[in-house]
Structures are given as C-alpha cells and as structure tokens.
Amino acid sequence: MKFKIQYIAFSLVFLATQFAFSQKKDENIGTEVVNVVKPYTPTISDAFKVKETPSLNDEETSKKEEIKYSIFSFPVASTFAPAKGKAAGVDKEAQEELFNSYATLGLGNYINALGELYVTKNIGDTDYFGGMFKHFSSQGGIKDLVLDDKFSTTSFDLTYGSKKQAYSWTADLGYELKNNFWYGLPSDFGNLFTEDEKAKVINTINEANSFSNISAGGNINFTNSMFNDVSVKFNHFSDKFKSSENRFLVKPTFEFDAAGTTIKTKLIVDYLGGSFKKDYSDLTSINYGYTNLGIHPSIAMSRNDWSFNLGAAAFYSIDNENKKNKFFVYPQINASIALVENIMIFYAGAEGTLQQNTYRDFVNENQFVSPTLLVAPTDKQFDVFGGLKGKVSNNLSYNVRGSVVSEKSKAFFVSNYYDDTIVEQQNYQYGNSFDVTYDDMKTISFFGELKADFTKNFSIGVNGTFNNYNMKNEEEAWNLPSIKLGANLDVNITPKWYAGANVFFVGDRKDAIDKINNPLVPNIVTLKSYFDANAHLGFKYTNRLTAFLKLNNIANQGYQKWLNYPVQSFQFMLGASYKFNL
C-alpha cells in the first residue's frame, strides 16, 4: 500500500515536470515537489461489454445482394418563360444641333461696333458655297489727343468648292478695306511752335489713311496621285497715297510613299512687285520687285516611338529692280523620340527659309507705317531648336523649347522724324509714322507652355517667351520685347453659361527717335512694359441665340504698343449671335 502511494506521487511529479518543460522558455514558473497523501480507495475494473453488432464470419451471411436501378424518362410540359435581360440605361447628352450659318452684332463704349455674317450652302451632293462679311470700327475718344483716332476694318470673302472622289478644289475671292489715322504726334511736337502756329499746323494735318486689298486664289487636292496638291494666291494691295503692290504665289506639291517612307517635294514660285510714289523726303519714287524660285524636297519616316523629317530648301532670288540674283540653301530637319511614352518626348531640328517681306505684311503688323518703305526679303539662315513635350497626367501637358536663330536683313520698325524743311508736309511727316530698317540679328530664345484640361468644362494655360538679341549694326532690336507672358482660362459654368479670360504681359521695348532736322543723331526711348487683361461672358438663351459680354483692357491702362500711340483704355461690348441654316 505504501508502494502504491509512492508510485502515485512519483507519477504526479513526473507529469508536472513534463508540463513545465512544455511551456515557453521565457515563462519561469519555478519548480516545486508535491507529496500527495490519500487513503486507499478500492476500485472495480471496467467490465468487458459485448458489442451490439457482432462480427460475423459466415460467408453466406456476409454476401451482399447486387441491386440494379433503371430510370424511365419522359418529357414534361412546362409553361415557365424566363424574363429577358435588359441592359442598364446610360445617360446620354442631347446631340447639339449644328448650323451652317450665323450672324453676330455687338456695340460698346468708344462707339465700338462689331458685325459678322458667315453663311454656307450645299449645292447638290458635292459642291458648296460660302460667304463671309466682317466689320469692326471705333469712333475713337482716347484722352489727351489732338488728332482723330478713329479706325475701321471691313472685309468680305466668297468661296466655292467641290469634293469629288478623286479630287477636291476651292476658289476664293476677297476684299478688305482698312481706315486709320496717324494720331501719334511726338510729345515735344508743341514745343516747336507758338500756340497759334500749333493750332494752324494741327488743322492742316489730314491724318486719315486707308488701305485696300483684293485677293483671289484657289486650291486643288488629288486623292490618289503623286501630284498631291497645288495652291495659287494673288493679292493686290494699295493705299490712299497711290502706293501699289502685287504678289503672285504658286505652291505645287508632289508626294508618294515607298517602303513606309514618305517622299515629298514642294515647289515655290513667289513674285512680288510694288512701288511708292515718294520716299520720306519727297525726293524720288521707290520701286521694288523680287521673284523667288524655291524647291523643298524631304523624306519623312515614323515608327512607334520616333519620327524624323530630313530635307532641305533651296531658293534662287531674282531682284527685278537692281538686277542682282542670289542663291540660298537652308536646312529643313525635324526629329522626335518618345523617351517615356506620352510623358516625355524629345524633339529637335534645324530650319531656315527665305522670308519675303511685303508692304501688306508690314501694315498688318503696324498700321502706322508711312508709304515710303524699303521692302526686301529676310534671309533666315537657321533656327536650331530642341525641347521636351508631353503629359504629366491625363489632364496636364507641357512644352519647353530653346532655340538659336540667325537672320540676315531682319526688318525692324523705327519712328520717323519730323523735318520742317519739307515744303509740303504729308500727313505722315510730322513724326507720327514709322519706317522700316534692316539689320543682321542672332536671337537666343526660351519658350515654356503648360496646359491643363481638368474637365471638358474647365481648361487653363500659361506660356512665356524670353529672348536675347544680338545686333550687328543697330544699337537695339527696335520694338522687340525681351519677355512675353500669357495665360488663358475657359470654363463652362452651366449648360447655359460660359466664360473665359486671357491676360498677357509684354516687356520693355526700345525705339529710336531721330532728332528734329538731324536724323543722323537719334535718341533711344524706352517704351514701358504693359499688362492687359480681357474677359468674356456668354449666355446660351437657346441653341440658336447667344448673348455675350466682352471686357478688354480691364486694368484700364493707356499703354503704348507703338511710340506715341496710346491704346483705348477699359472697353466693354454687349452683343448677340444667332445661328441658322440656309
């Protein structure tokens, strides 16, 4: 009995020891010897029970009967019809109705008036006719002016075209009339006269001028032909002082593909001839004329992530008046490669051309030039550029570019001087007009642009250009700014309302004022930089009728775009547009 008690105690100690070793090493529960003392209690061993299902060894009994099942199938009529699936509905915007014609009328302060009319009409299945009329005028009213500052521009254009399966063609006929006034007298003009003399001189100035342009042209394109297209354009430009200029330009193009490479050749025939009745000193007339013959062959190839265009341009320029002929060759190279698809595209190139300047082009840029200009082409030797463009995200794109440009005989606007030795003064000979001078120039330029289309109803963009000019003979790059900045915003406020704005900044410019009676000793004048902000607001009353409000020069600055020529300050215009079908 004592032996049994010791056996039980030993078993308990052994189990406790095993349990202790089974714990985690980091758990210190200690050790203890337990002696269990219990009086003997007799027990009865478990009795052997007979199983309820005895195991049988009889072969006959253990044999199972094999049972076979068969299924008898027959059709059962059913009237159940499952419902057909239906696609979920998608909200669709109503397709905007398109119109082929519209008319616009507007009226604002300074008695500014705007009128536009555009019409198109289909004739049969292939032909169409189009017409355009446009007018903008102002009665002036700029403060502190002694001369009239009215202006107007009226133009119309007629177009007839046809689209066939093998070719298409258009023919155009147009006319434009511009009226303006040389109102920009020099600031020291009054110091030259007494008050009585000043009044008499001003009364004798008929500052009005007018320009007219008659144009005719056409274009034909072939669908499946090596002879790709040809364009023809003729302009006759004249002014109130019997100046006359004719320009005739023809550009045929040949193009075909070979083994994934596009081979193209452009031909250019550019004739210019014009005359001015007098030079600025009223000594002699001015005649000019050039015939430029050019050819521009190129090879273009593109793959998934790169493309290039390798070509050159050659011109043979004939000076019809001075009998001097020159030959020019220019690079025409462009290439791009996607460094990161759609995110970063590198592009570079080198381009050059013979730019034919015209009296009409000068007037379109600066309508205050005198009808006494020397007109000659500009030899743009090269424009070597490189940059990156792409998308930062699906809604944000960018473009940065740097370039070096070399130009010979670059045209610049400079102020004319007042010469009181001229017996019969013309309207433009009071220091209130501009001449054109030429010089060789090299330009280092940097350009950057950022555009964001956050939604289809909201977009914004900013850009900037920075230039550094290096002149050969002239002291400055006359009337050219070193910096230009701009931004624009467009937003659809509601389906009915929309708005937009654009702002721009133009840096300082330099102009040369020839001293009175001593034009060989000019004074350099700085035109201050200026900021201009414009905005518009529109309301779509119906799909045909839209009202608008335009605000210009919101900052109300009477800045000078050209020396002695301040612009109109704050301007507003109310108007409406109406769309219709002919």
Side-chain angles (χ1 to χ4, degrees):
M1 185 175 186
K2 184 178 180 181
F3 174 77
K4 288 184 178 180
I5 293 173
Q6 292 177 345
Y7 177 77
I8 292 172
F10 175 79
S11 299
L12 291 174
V13 172
F14 178 78
L15 290 175
T17 305
Q18 291 295 106
F19 179 79
F21 277 103
S22 68
Q23 303 301 313
K24 295 182 180 179
K25 293 182 180 180
D26 59 343
E27 295 181 2
N28 186 8
I29 60 176
T31 60
E32 184 176 357
V33 177
V34 178
N35 294 323
V36 178
V37 179
K38 183 179 179 183
Y40 173 71
T41 302
T43 59
I44 299 175
S45 299
D46 293 336
F48 176 79
K49 297 180 180 180
V50 178
K51 296 181 179 179
E52 294 181 358
T53 306
S55 176
L56 300 178
N57 296 324
D58 191 349
E59 295 181 356
E60 295 296 328
T61 305
S62 62
K63 185 177 181 180
K64 295 182 180 179
E65 184 69 23
E66 183 179 357
I67 301 174
K68 296 182 179 179
Y69 296 92
S70 62
I71 299 174
F72 177 71
S73 62
F74 59 92
V76 178
S78 175
T79 59
F80 172 75
K84 295 181 179 180
K86 185 178 181 180
V90 179
D91 294 334
K92 296 182 178 179
E93 294 183 359
Q95 185 175 1
E96 185 177 356
E97 185 177 0
L98 301 179
F99 301 91
N100 58 26
S101 306
Y102 78 89
T104 299
L105 292 174
L107 187 65
N109 62 333
Y110 293 99
I111 317 182
N112 293 348
L114 171 68
E116 295 179 356
L117 176 64
Y118 289 84
V119 296
T120 57
K121 178 67 175 178
N122 291 329
I123 302 174
D125 296 331
T126 59
D127 295 3
Y128 64 93
F129 169 80
M132 178 275 293
F133 172 81
K134 193 172 184 178
H135 173 84
F136 182 72
S137 62
S138 175
Q139 297 306 306
I142 300 175
K143 293 181 180 180
D144 302 325
L145 293 182
V146 296
L147 299 178
D148 204 340
D149 60 326
K150 295 187 293 185
F151 65 87
S152 67
T153 299
T154 305
S155 60
F156 73 84
D157 188 80
L158 302 176
T159 301
Y160 192 92
S162 180
K163 294 181 179 180
K164 308 291 185 182
Q165 185 175 1
Y167 64 91
S168 62
W169 61 270
T170 59
D172 301 284
L173 178 65
Y175 176 77
E176 183 180 50
L177 176 65
K178 288 185 176 183
N179 294 296
N180 73 292
F181 290 77
W182 283 297
Y183 62 84
L185 290 177
S187 57
D188 61 346
F189 182 78
N191 300 333
L192 303 175
F193 313 97
T194 63
E195 288 300 322
D196 293 339
E197 291 175 340
K198 178 180 177 181
K200 290 180 181 179
V201 171
I202 291 176
N203 289 333
T204 60
I205 299 176
N206 181 12
E207 65 272 26
N209 189 22
S210 63
F211 306 96
S212 63
N213 183 72
I214 301 173
S215 62
N219 181 276
I220 184 169
N221 291 272
F222 296 92
T223 305
N224 297 312
S225 175
M226 186 178 70
F227 184 46
N228 188 261
D229 66 75
V230 59
S231 62
V232 179
K233 187 73 173 180
F234 170 78
N235 281 289
H236 173 72
F237 189 73
S238 60
D239 62 21
K240 180 181 177 180
F241 296 88
K242 299 182 180 179
S243 305
S244 178
E245 180 182 80
N246 296 309
R247 188 181 189 186
F248 183 71
L249 183 62
V250 182
K251 291 183 177 181
T253 302
F254 301 87
E255 180 180 339
F256 65 92
D257 293 333
T261 303
T262 301
I263 301 175
K264 180 186 292 187
T265 300
K266 294 182 181 179
L267 301 178
I268 300 171
V269 179
D270 188 357
Y271 167 81
L272 178 72
S275 64
F276 296 105
K277 188 176 180 180
K278 296 180 180 180
D279 63 6
Y280 191 76
S281 299
D282 289 346
L283 299 177
T284 183
S285 61
I286 300 175
N287 297 302
Y288 59 92
Y290 296 90
T291 301
N292 298 323
L293 306 176
I295 182 171
H296 176 196
S298 64
I299 299 175
M301 182 179 294
S302 63
R303 293 295 182 265
N304 294 331
D305 56 354
W306 61 267
S307 65
F308 75 87
N309 189 310
L310 179 63
F315 286 89
Y316 185 68
S317 181
I318 304 172
D319 187 341
N320 300 324
E321 292 295 325
N322 300 314
K323 308 302 180 184
K324 293 181 180 179
N325 306 332
K326 294 182 179 180
F327 184 73
F328 303 91
V329 178
Y330 303 100
Q332 291 288 336
I333 303 171
N334 286 278
S336 67
I337 182 170
L339 302 178
V340 181
E341 186 176 2
N342 295 328
I343 297 177
M344 184 179 293
I345 301 174
F346 173 75
Y347 63 93
E351 298 177 347
T353 188
L354 183 64
Q355 178 182 327
Q356 180 60 71
N357 298 309
T358 69
Y359 181 35
R360 179 170 177 259
D361 292 339
F362 289 145
V363 170
N364 288 337
E365 186 175 356
N366 181 355
Q367 59 185 333
F368 306 113
V369 294
S370 62
T372 59
L373 308 179
L374 294 175
V375 179
T378 294
D379 175 15
K380 189 174 182 179
Q381 294 179 307
F382 59 81
D383 177 1
V384 179
F385 60 88
L388 289 173
K389 62 181 179 180
K391 287 187 175 182
V392 178
S393 66
N394 290 334
N395 302 323
L396 186 63
S397 61
Y398 68 93
N399 184 14
V400 292
R401 165 180 169 146
S403 64
V404 178
V405 183
S406 177
E407 297 171 284
K408 284 190 173 182
S409 298
K410 169 73 174 177
F412 303 90
F413 296 107
V414 291
S415 296
N416 277 321
Y417 60 92
Y418 171 59
D419 187 355
D420 60 359
T421 62
I422 299 176
V423 178
E424 186 178 352
Q425 296 282 347
Q426 301 294 333
N427 304 336
Y428 51 82
Q429 292 176 326
Y430 295 90
N432 57 337
S433 63
F434 293 84
D435 193 11
V436 172
T437 187
Y438 296 86
D439 193 15
D440 298 345
M441 180 178 73
K442 286 184 172 60
T443 307
I444 299 175
S445 179
F446 295 96
F447 169 80
E449 182 180 43
L450 197 63
K451 292 182 179 180
D453 296 319
F454 296 107
T455 68
K456 65 179 181 180
N457 295 321
F458 182 79
S459 63
I460 189 172
V462 294
N463 63 80
T465 303
F466 304 88
N467 298 312
N468 178 265
Y469 307 108
N470 185 9
M471 310 298 298
K472 181 178 180 180
N473 298 314
E474 299 288 338
E475 297 183 51
E476 299 285 347
W478 308 119
N479 282 292
L480 292 182
S482 296
I483 179 173
K484 285 176 139 184
L485 303 175
N488 64 278
L489 169 69
D490 289 292
V491 56
N492 291 324
I493 304 171
T494 69
K496 292 285 188 180
W497 291 91
Y498 65 91
N502 67 82
V503 297
F504 57 89
F505 172 83
V506 177
D508 295 345
R509 291 137 294 138
K510 305 288 186 179
D511 199 347
I513 300 179
D514 292 330
K515 289 184 178 179
I516 296 173
N517 295 330
N518 190 5
L520 299 179
V521 185
N523 289 330
I524 298 178
V525 178
T526 300
L527 280 77
K528 294 182 179 180
S529 60
Y530 61 87
F531 169 83
D532 201 339
N534 310 292
H536 66 270
L537 177 68
F539 175 70
K540 298 178 182 179
Y541 183 72
T542 66
N543 60 344
R544 291 178 178 267
L545 182 62
T546 301
F548 63 84
L549 169 65
K550 292 183 178 181
L551 305 176
N552 294 328
N553 199 357
I554 298 175
N556 197 31
Q557 294 184 339
Y559 59 84
Q560 296 184 19
K561 183 177 180 180
W562 304 103
L563 183 62
N564 301 320
Y565 279 92
V567 302
Q568 295 176 345
S569 298
F570 174 72
Q571 307 154 47
F572 69 87
M573 175 174 286
L574 285 169
S577 295
Y578 183 77
K579 302 175 184 178
F580 59 95
N581 288 317
L582 286 181

